[in-house]
Amino acid sequence: MPAHSFIATAVDLFSASPIDLPGAELDLRPHWLDATTATAWFTELARDTPWEQPQLFIHGRHLAVPRLLAWYGDPEARYRYSGLEHQPLPWTPLLAEIRTRAQDACGRPFNAVLLNYYRDGNDSMGWHSDDEPELGRDPLIASLNLGGTRRFDLRRKGTTRIGHSLELGDGSLLVMGGQTQHHWQHQVAKTRKPVAPRINLTFRLIRGRA
């Protein structure tokens, strides 16, 4: 597909159902995937993914990441964040299919995907922005949610107050683009509410090493 096709489709994407936050470009498609397909994908990924739970060294202590994860992509799509360097696993047939559908929806190429498995409400993702140098200046992140619904919080950088929250349910697709990562952070907080297991896939384009 020629480059100009990606640009044109991206404009259409954000004009469909944008979320109005200053300095952000967000598009949420709550029913992007039908329930039958979402359940089948969740079941296969939960069963067949070689999940890992790496440890981080924080304030003199080794702490396990509070979720399971896996990194897939093209051979050159090495990625560093939170002090960890991820070497990509090769695409499986299922993940290659999901990538194609995500690229068609966003009108952008992706060469890697991060899978996070939230087993229950104790699993979480802390405040961060997807602003690593490998992602380029204005990265576009496509986030597919399978399984249980979890709250997705956003806050302006430099603040501590949650500025906006979204409920990301089974089969929903959230796309973050433009300068979102420059101005906003996001998290999936722990919760005491009973929640079903959730797998989140975030597709991205790794542009090169820092």
Side-chain angles (χ1 to χ4, degrees):
M1 184 180 294
H4 63 79
S5 297
F6 292 122
I7 296 173
T9 309
V11 172
D12 293 339
L13 172 69
F14 290 116
S15 65
S17 55
I19 298 166
D20 187 16
L21 288 178
E25 291 183 15
L26 300 171
D27 177 75
L28 175 61
R29 303 183 181 188
H31 308 292
W32 183 72
L33 196 62
D34 66 90
T36 299
T37 303
T39 298
W41 287 1
F42 177 93
T43 300
E44 182 172 339
L45 291 172
R47 181 190 64 218
D48 296 342
T49 302
W51 299 106
E52 297 182 345
Q53 189 174 20
Q55 291 196 342
L56 303 177
F57 189 70
I58 301 175
H59 302 306
R61 300 171 58 196
H62 289 281
L63 300 174
V65 172
R67 62 193 176 280
L68 305 181
L69 56 85
W71 177 253
Y72 288 83
D74 295 347
E76 72 278 5
R78 297 183 300 275
Y79 189 46
R80 291 173 294 175
Y81 76 94
S82 298
L84 301 174
E85 178 166 320
H86 297 272
Q87 300 290 337
L89 296 167
W91 295 99
T92 66
L94 175 58
L95 288 174
E97 176 189 348
I98 301 173
R99 173 172 69 159
T100 297
R101 293 185 62 167
Q103 289 180 151
D104 290 344
C106 297
R108 296 287 186 90
F110 299 119
N111 63 3
V113 61
L114 176 64
L115 280 67
N116 286 295
Y117 190 6
Y118 300 83
R119 296 158 293 181
D120 54 33
N122 290 316
D123 282 355
S124 63
M125 172 83 79
W127 286 112
H128 71 287
S129 298
D130 295 316
D131 56 1
E132 290 78 15
E134 294 95 331
L135 297 177
R137 178 173 176 80
D138 295 320
L140 186 135
I141 309 293
S143 176
L144 173 60
N145 305 280
L146 304 172
T149 298
R150 293 293 293 266
R151 196 186 75 200
F152 182 86
D153 300 321
L154 297 115
R155 71 180 183 186
R156 292 281 296 193
K157 286 188 176 180
T159 69
T160 58
R161 182 178 63 86
I162 295 174
H164 192 77
S165 294
L166 302 169
E167 294 290 326
L168 300 183
D170 189 30
S172 66
L173 181 71
L174 174 66
V175 183
M176 299 181 286
Q179 294 195 334
T180 304
Q181 308 303 327
H182 294 270
H183 303 297
W184 291 84
Q185 294 180 317
H186 50 274
Q187 72 163 359
V188 176
K190 295 181 185 296
T191 178
R192 294 182 178 179
K193 296 179 181 179
V195 291
R198 168 185 185 251
I199 294 176
N200 173 251
L201 300 85
T202 51
F203 289 89
R204 57 199 75 198
L205 177 65
I206 304 299
R207 299 182 180 276
R209 301 296 297 271

